[in-house]
């Protein structure tokens, strides 16, 4: 048996409900014959698994690095400890409330952090972690300061009761085991929904995500909130395991340990996190002799992992995670609905109106008083030499840039300067000159991502795998099947984007726009780099859009392709409109010949 086949089998096994239930049962039963020490470290392992999943969701899936995760962990720990010890709340209320406190912390942190990226984000989260530690160390009245908080109701002190029953180490292990398993199930379902796909889309390209109707700020806020809740839950379980909280437990090394665990486990993989958390829970025990070298060992493991195992342990053991619910996939099967939903173009102002739009980049006028109109059921070509402002005009219409002057109206509504994701939601979608797909997603996942703003399921419905959520995704997967057939890419539907030649990216990006059920589609050089055999399916998709009553704006250099397809032409030169009319008229227009056709018809860079 080949290694990759073995990986696939292992991947199927670890998500199999029977396997998971059996494993849980074995541990739950065996717990009663384990020593106190073993139970303690196994409970600690569960806490580390939760913490790793928290980091995995934020960093691995949503791509937001965190160097202050111990802060969320500590927030949950202190909150639950104080709620039980000082406020006298029962365990079953204190723990969820503590998770809520940490979730709120994540929510608030997302406001400053959500604006930052990479280095600055790392520094911001680092600052959060440091501030938390300082507060924990100095706020004597509440946290016990450097002395720590002792006497927290816990199994170690034999002071923990739940529903009136004293909880010993065995009982506590079982409670945490059940809670961890249930939480993992919820996150797994959540990741395989529109939410997980949106997290990953933000990770891959914020620009592309916005163009698909995915709000950047809101999506990051959700990622921080859920990640905070998970770390807080882990912290609460920790508090009632050990009974004593000292500020050092929530210091920078703890944050780094979580990050290292997650990276070594394999960013994005839930199963990888379990393996990695296991490694890093038991390793310190074995390293007792080298206690002072612990972080050197971690560093070496991290460096090794990053250079030799880019996908972490998960890359060795499992197939990459997928972002579609298997049940929805099975439900959709090979059925197809219409690939292109006819646009609702009723109303007197149906259309897209660009009115005297100007955009300056410093001294450069990239677009100069450009006016244009798109009509339902008509294809308009936007042509002109390189640098004439075509892409910039699409960027203005789709909300990436706010014009210096002028306005854009869509179905009579002023959308000038509106956020890109809101414009996409209105049914105005675009593709990019250099295709922006999620490289590690399959063709099918990328297409389904395009339906983001047409899926209405709540996060709760997605996490609980409610029938309504499954049915909704299955319905869109039938449309995905139809788009796959229309684009002629059935043979690669379940291959990842990064494993496919360039031409597929163009076809998939145009196909993805169809999943948004748009009223207008702006295509930035969709035929560039396509082979003869790929041009056919592209033309088929564009004709289909016209037949369904969509407005199409097509930037294109191949004159034959344009002539066959389009109804209207707008020619730009130096940011200004130099021609407006039909193709035949354009071919004879002296200004167009002088600036474009005469010199660069074949120069389609
Ligand atoms: P086209 O798509 O027609 O080839 P573009 O719209 O990409 O042309 O560019 C029009 C002009 O605006 C070019 O001179 C280009 O260098 C400039 N430009 C485009 N984007 C930016 C930007 N973000 N900052 C500064 N200048 C830009
Ligand atoms: Mg361009």
């Amino acid at each position: 048996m080949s290694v990759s086949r073995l990986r696939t089998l292992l991947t199927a096994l670890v998500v199999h409900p029977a396997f998971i239930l059996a494993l849980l049962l074995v541990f739950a039963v065996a717990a009663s014959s384990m020593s106190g020490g073993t139970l303690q470290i196994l409970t600690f392992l569960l806490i580390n698994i939760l913490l790793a999943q928290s980091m995995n969701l934020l960093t691995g899936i949503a791509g937001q690095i965190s160097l202050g995760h111990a802060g969320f962990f500590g927030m949950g720990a202190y909150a639950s400890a104080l709620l039980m010890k000082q406020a006298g709340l029962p365990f079953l209320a204190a723990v969820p409330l503590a998770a809520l406190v940490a979730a709120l912390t994540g929510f608030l942190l997302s406001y400053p952090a959500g604006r930052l990226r990479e280095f600055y984000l790392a520094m911001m989260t680092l600052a959060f972690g440091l501030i938390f530690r300082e507060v924990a160390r100095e706020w004597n009245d509440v946290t016990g300061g450097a002395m720590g908080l002792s006497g927290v109701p816990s199994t170690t002190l034999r002071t923990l009761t739940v529903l009136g029953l004293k909880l010993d180490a065995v009982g506590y292990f079982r409670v945490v085991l059940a809670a961890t398993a249930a939480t993992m199930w919820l996150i797994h379902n959540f990741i395989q929904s529109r939410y997980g796909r949106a997290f990953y889309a933000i990770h891959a390209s914020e620009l592309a995500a916005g163009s698909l109707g995915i709000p950047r700020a809101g999506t990051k806020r959700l990622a921080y909130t859920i990640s905070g809740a998970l770390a807080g839950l882990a912290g609460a379980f920790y508090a009632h395991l050990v009974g004593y909280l000292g500020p050092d437990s929530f210091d920078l090394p703890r944050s780094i340990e979580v990050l290292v665990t997650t990276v070594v486990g394999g960013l994005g993989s839930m199963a990888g996190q379990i393996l990695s958390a296991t490694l890093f829970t038991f390793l310190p025990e074995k390293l007792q002799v080298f206690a002072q070298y612990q972080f050197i060992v971690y560093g070496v493991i991290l460096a090794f992992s990053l250079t030799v195992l880019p996908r972490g342990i998960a890359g060795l053991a499992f197939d990459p995670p997928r972002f579609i619910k298997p049940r929805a996939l099975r439900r959709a099967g090979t059925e197809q609905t219409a690939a292109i939903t006819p646009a609702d173009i009723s109303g007197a102002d149906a259309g897209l109106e660009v009115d005297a739009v100007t955009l300056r980049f410093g001294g450069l006028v990239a677009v100069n008083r450009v006016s244009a109109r798109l009509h339902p059921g008509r294809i308009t070509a936007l042509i002109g030499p390189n640098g004439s402002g075509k892409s910039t005009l699409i960027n203005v219409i789709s909300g990436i840039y706010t014009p210096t002057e002028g306005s854009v109206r869509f179905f009579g509504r002023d959308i000038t300067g509106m956020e890109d994701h809101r414009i996409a939601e209105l049914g105005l979608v675009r593709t990019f000159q250099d295709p922006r797909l999620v490289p590690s997603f399959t063709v099918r996942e990328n297409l389904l991502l395009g339906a983001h703003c047409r899926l209405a399921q709540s996060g709760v419905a997605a996490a609980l795998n409610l029938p309504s959520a499954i049915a909704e995704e299955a319905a869109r997967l039938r449309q995905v099947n139809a788009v796959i057939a229309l684009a002629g890419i059935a043979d690669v539907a379940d291959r990842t984007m990064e494993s496919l030649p360039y031409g597929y990216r163009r076809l998939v990006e145009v196909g993805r726009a169809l999943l948004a059920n748009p009223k207008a589609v702006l295509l930035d050089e969709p035929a560039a780099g396509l082979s003869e055999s790929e041009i056919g399916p592209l033309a088929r998709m564009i004709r289909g859009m016209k037949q369904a009553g969509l407005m199409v704006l097509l930037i294109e250099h191949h004159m034959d392709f344009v002539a066959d397809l389009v109804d209207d032409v707008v020619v730009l030169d130096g940011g200004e409109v130099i021609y407006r009319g039909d193709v035949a008229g354009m071919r004879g227009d002296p200004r167009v010949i002088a600036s474009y056709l005469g010199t660069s018809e074949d120069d389609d860079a």
Side-chain angles (χ1 to χ4, degrees):
M1 200 182 327
S2 73
V3 176
S4 79
R5 176 111 187 83
L6 205 62
R7 255 203 300 263
T8 305
L9 276 178
L10 200 57
T11 309
L13 178 70
V14 295
V15 294
H16 200 286
F19 171 77
I20 295 171
L21 286 176
L23 201 65
L24 292 175
L25 210 63
V26 166
F27 273 99
V29 170
S32 55
S33 51
M34 287 178 191
S35 73
T38 309
L39 280 171
Q40 167 120 7
I41 195 154
L42 282 180
T43 310
F44 202 58
L45 167 61
L46 293 170
I47 289 163
N48 282 340
I49 288 175
L50 275 177
L51 205 47
Q53 300 301 344
S54 160
M55 181 66 102
N56 184 46
L57 192 87
L58 186 63
T59 302
I61 307 280
Q64 311 298 307
I65 193 168
S66 168
L67 288 180
H69 238 61
F72 295 119
F73 182 62
M75 198 65 92
Y78 280 106
S80 197
L82 292 168
L83 284 169
M84 271 194 94
K85 187 171 181 257
Q86 312 290 10
L89 258 63
F91 176 79
L92 290 179
V95 171
L97 273 177
L100 206 63
V101 169
L104 188 67
T105 311
F107 178 80
L108 293 176
L109 184 68
S110 79
Y111 280 89
R115 298 166 185 278
L116 305 174
R117 267 190 254 177
E118 284 138 23
F119 175 77
Y120 296 97
L121 178 58
M123 290 306 109
M124 167 66 78
T125 54
L126 177 66
F128 163 70
L130 295 177
I131 291 170
F132 177 83
R133 190 212 43 185
E134 277 318 297
V135 171
R137 181 164 301 187
E138 302 300 332
W139 200 6
N140 287 313
D141 299 344
V142 174
T143 64
M147 294 292 294
L149 190 69
S150 49
V152 178
S154 61
T155 51
T156 304
L157 305 173
R158 302 177 196 284
T159 48
L160 188 66
T161 55
V162 175
L163 298 174
L165 295 172
K166 183 139 275 180
L167 210 58
D168 60 4
V170 176
Y172 192 63
F173 171 73
R174 287 176 180 156
V175 167
V176 179
L177 181 68
T180 304
T183 308
M184 297 268 296
W185 181 73
L186 294 172
I187 311 171
H188 181 254
N189 296 340
F190 185 80
I191 288 174
Q192 287 188 330
S193 76
R194 72 192 284 260
Y195 297 95
R197 289 190 295 272
F199 284 2
Y200 214 90
I202 293 275
H203 185 169
S205 161
E206 293 194 13
L207 195 62
S211 79
L212 299 171
I214 299 169
R216 282 173 204 78
T219 303
K220 287 186 192 174
R221 202 164 299 143
L222 191 62
Y224 277 97
T225 306
I226 298 175
S227 182
L230 293 174
L233 184 66
F237 284 143
Y238 173 76
H240 304 299
L241 174 67
V242 295
Y244 164 80
L245 303 177
D248 291 344
S249 312
F250 311 105
D251 210 343
L252 183 60
R254 187 83 181 104
S255 291
I256 292 174
E257 203 177 286
V258 187
L259 188 59
V260 172
T261 305
T262 308
V263 172
V264 171
L267 291 172
S269 167
M270 293 184 70
Q273 300 308 322
I274 298 183
L275 295 184
S276 183
T278 309
L279 177 72
F280 283 97
T281 305
F282 289 100
L283 196 63
E285 294 279 295
K286 306 285 170 241
L287 288 179
Q288 283 309 331
V289 242
F290 315 104
Q292 72 263 49
Y293 302 124
Q294 187 179 333
F295 277 89
I296 296 182
V297 176
Y298 284 5
V300 171
I301 294 176
L302 183 63
F304 176 80
S305 165
L306 286 173
T307 44
V308 183
L309 303 172
R311 287 209 300 114
I313 308 178
L316 283 181
F318 309 112
D319 288 340
R322 297 277 52 109
F323 292 80
I324 303 179
K325 295 181 192 294
R327 270 169 67 192
L329 267 180
R330 280 198 298 275
R331 176 83 73 85
T334 55
E335 291 166 29
Q336 294 184 12
T337 51
I340 309 178
T341 309
D344 173 14
I345 45 171
S346 51
D349 357 316
L352 176 78
E353 222 174 317
V354 177
D355 187 22
V357 159
T358 296
L359 185 78
R360 291 195 192 88
F361 290 114
L364 177 84
V365 187
V367 173
N368 194 4
R369 295 194 61 77
V370 169
S371 295
R373 242 203 113 120
L374 298 188
H375 303 276
R378 285 181 85 80
I379 302 172
T380 304
L382 181 63
I383 60 183
N386 285 324
S388 58
K390 306 180 298 295
S391 295
T392 304
L393 184 63
I394 285 196
N395 287 339
V396 168
I397 299 173
S398 61
I400 290 177
Y401 299 138
T402 302
T404 321
E405 283 157 44
S407 69
V408 184
R409 301 181 77 79
F410 188 52
F411 283 77
R413 179 168 179 178
D414 191 350
I415 59 166
T416 323
M418 194 185 263
E419 280 181 287
D420 54 354
H421 69 93
R422 301 198 48 218
I423 292 178
E425 241 167 62
L426 293 177
L428 175 53
V429 301
R430 54 89 49 94
T431 65
F432 291 88
Q433 188 166 346
D434 45 316
R436 289 171 179 270
L437 296 140
V438 180
S440 61
F441 272 18
T442 62
V443 167
R444 198 184 300 277
E445 286 166 340
N446 269 294
L447 289 172
L448 189 58
L449 183 61
H452 180 85
C453 55
R454 301 291 168 254
L455 290 166
Q457 63 196 254
S458 70
V460 175
L464 289 172
N465 265 0
L466 292 188
S468 59
I470 304 272
E472 192 187 34
E473 295 238 325
R476 304 324 304 263
L477 283 167
R478 292 186 192 105
Q479 188 182 1
V480 168
N481 287 340
V483 170
I484 285 171
L486 182 66
I489 49 177
D491 50 333
V492 297
D494 293 303
R495 297 260 307 269
T496 58
M497 224 54 241
E498 60 201 351
S499 70
L500 293 172
Y502 184 78
Y504 286 108
R505 290 192 224 163
R506 292 261 176 230
L507 294 176
V508 173
E509 209 192 27
V510 174
R512 185 171 69 175
L514 297 175
L515 266 301
N517 290 344
K519 295 182 175 127
V521 183
L522 316 176
L523 304 169
D524 197 345
E525 304 200 22
L530 289 194
S531 65
E532 278 308 314
S533 63
E534 289 161 338
I535 293 270
L538 175 66
R540 207 156 62 215
M541 282 194 272
I542 296 175
R543 285 210 179 85
M545 295 178 197
K546 176 181 157 88
Q547 274 155 19
L550 275 55
M551 303 163 223
V552 181
L553 184 71
L554 173 67
I555 296 183
E556 193 41 68
H557 287 290
H558 296 74
M559 279 307 135
D560 297 337
F561 186 65
V562 168
D564 277 357
L565 218 52
V566 307
D567 303 293
D568 311 303
V569 180
V570 173
V571 183
L572 286 185
D573 187 24
E576 293 182 34
V577 176
I578 58 165
Y579 174 83
R580 204 190 300 273
D582 59 12
V583 176
M586 174 193 72
R587 286 206 151 125
D589 186 273
R591 279 184 79 185
V592 179
I593 293 170
S595 78
Y596 183 55
L597 292 182
T599 55
S600 63
E601 178 155 4
D602 300 319
D603 172 22
D604 53 6

